[in-house]
Amino acid sequence: MTPKPYTHRDAVPYRPLDWTGVYPPAYDRGTVPNHVAIVMDGNGRWANRRGLTRIEGHKAGEAALLDVVAGGIQAGVKHLSVYAFSTENWSRSPDEVRFLMGYNRDVLHRRRDQLNEWGVRIRWAGRKPRLWSSVIKELQYAEQLTAGNDALTLTMCVNYGGRIEIVDAMRSIADDVAAGRLKPSAVSEKLIQRRLYRPDMPDVDLFLRSSGEQRTSNFLLWESAYAEFVFLDTLWPDFTRADLWRGIDVYLGRERRFGGAVDEPARG
Ligand code: IPE
Ligand code: IPE
Ligand code: MG
């Protein structure tokens, strides 16, 4: 039997970073957001609008992810965190959940060498309970394989929830306090950060969401306390590196104040 031709949009072959021949604008030094977080949303709507099942929409998202990672490296983004499966996504149909689990595992398996070639350090943020062990294994393998890379850190947020991340941090602190290893007065923002899933993850600078939805859906709550939020209408399967750069442009037009203020009467 001849194998079915591999026609899907996810069939992106291994390529150099700049295979599309498009390049980001020349950003001023030091202005590009260091950490971009992306809620990859809109797969289901993209598929349903074409008369396809939601699962076909997820499959089409693989190419978008690869393109955006490449565009992130080109732009000089150092940390890219992507929401792949939330702790709330377990409420979807068993078929969709099963597909998403297998799909996350397979995408990591298929793409780790390409990402490694590009110098991407892959990491996982999320919790173990309920997550398929085959997914955890792929995440851990990819982490080991790419541990020495520094072009861009790609954090795959799988079985991730912002509130439960804070709960998990609180539990570990409470354990230490109860055991007398830690004084309550030693609990600080820094200490809490050190108990998050990825203690060295920097704060999010640009929080980007596709598909027009304007909410966080529990993504990187602690880390995004001072992020700039940009919502683009593009559905995730249509998303490209150019959309990432468009998001960066909007970000660059924002004034980040971090609670400070400068008196500038002339500007009104
Ligand atoms: C995002 O697309 C992917 C995941 C949540 C895994 P959706 O599946 O949420 O697509 P919409 O929002 O229903 O269009
Ligand atoms: C957030 O999208 C989760 C991921 C992209 C993995 P959802 O589609 O699940 O979020 P809601 O339901 O619109 O809030
Ligand atoms: Mg959605």
Side-chain angles (χ1 to χ4, degrees):
M1 200 179 97
T2 36
K4 207 167 135 249
Y6 198 30
T7 53
H8 206 275
R9 255 181 70 102
D10 68 4
V12 181
Y14 276 29
R15 284 165 161 164
L17 259 186
D18 57 353
W19 82 83
T20 59
V22 289
Y23 293 89
Y27 300 111
D28 289 339
R29 239 183 118 83
T31 58
V32 172
N34 178 49
H35 184 184
V36 179
I38 304 186
V39 181
M40 308 184 289
D41 196 18
N43 298 348
R45 277 163 285 166
W46 181 91
N48 285 171
R49 279 177 202 171
R50 284 167 174 72
L52 303 169
T53 61
R54 300 179 52 79
I55 281 174
E56 294 305 312
H58 297 313
K59 288 187 190 166
E62 180 174 347
L65 176 61
L66 266 284
D67 199 51
V68 165
V69 171
I73 299 171
Q74 285 179 310
V77 170
K78 297 307 284 182
H79 294 263
L80 186 67
S81 299
V82 295
Y83 212 2
F85 190 91
S86 76
T87 46
E88 287 70 37
N89 287 146
W90 294 105
S91 66
R92 296 192 177 193
S93 76
D95 276 354
E96 186 169 352
V97 167
R98 203 173 310 118
F99 174 80
L100 285 169
M101 282 294 129
Y103 181 66
N104 274 295
R105 178 194 62 214
D106 296 348
V107 168
L108 280 159
H109 191 86
R110 270 199 292 278
R111 300 301 178 181
R112 64 189 184 207
D113 292 330
Q114 167 82 86
L115 293 167
N116 193 27
E117 248 172 58
W118 289 348
V120 174
R121 180 171 66 151
I122 302 169
R123 304 224 279 181
W124 167 44
R127 56 198 328 258
K128 279 191 177 161
R130 288 185 88 174
L131 188 54
W132 285 15
S133 59
S134 60
V135 179
I136 297 175
K137 271 193 206 122
E138 283 297 340
L139 284 160
Q140 288 173 339
Y141 183 87
E143 258 192 60
Q144 278 173 19
L145 177 75
T146 62
N149 293 340
D150 65 358
L152 175 146
T153 298
L154 174 66
T155 304
M156 302 290 304
C157 300
V158 188
N159 199 23
Y160 174 88
R163 283 189 170 176
I164 197 72
E165 176 178 36
I166 296 170
V167 169
D168 284 341
M170 292 309 144
R171 281 189 191 147
S172 105
I173 290 171
D175 278 347
D176 282 356
V177 171
R181 289 188 293 266
L182 191 68
K183 286 200 197 112
S185 60
V187 178
S188 63
E189 290 187 18
K190 268 213 165 71
L191 184 98
I192 292 171
Q193 158 133 23
R194 283 204 294 269
R195 306 287 173 119
L196 299 177
Y197 297 141
R198 289 298 177 174
D200 58 348
M201 177 188 278
D203 281 354
V204 174
D205 298 297
L206 167 60
F207 185 112
L208 196 58
R209 182 166 186 154
S210 60
S211 90
E213 304 295 352
Q214 304 195 0
R215 52 178 170 267
T216 67
S217 298
N218 203 16
F219 192 39
L220 298 176
L221 296 184
W222 180 277
E223 299 83 346
S224 297
Y226 251 110
E228 293 296 329
F229 286 75
V230 176
F231 301 102
L232 298 179
D233 287 337
T234 312
L235 301 173
W236 181 251
D238 291 329
F239 215 87
T240 67
R241 64 186 81 196
D243 295 298
L244 170 68
W245 300 338
R246 199 152 58 91
I248 294 176
D249 282 343
V250 176
Y251 166 91
L252 291 174
R254 300 270 176 88
E255 187 190 349
R256 299 186 81 187
R257 297 195 185 130
F258 299 100
V262 183
D263 202 9
E264 287 175 291
R267 285 181 63 188

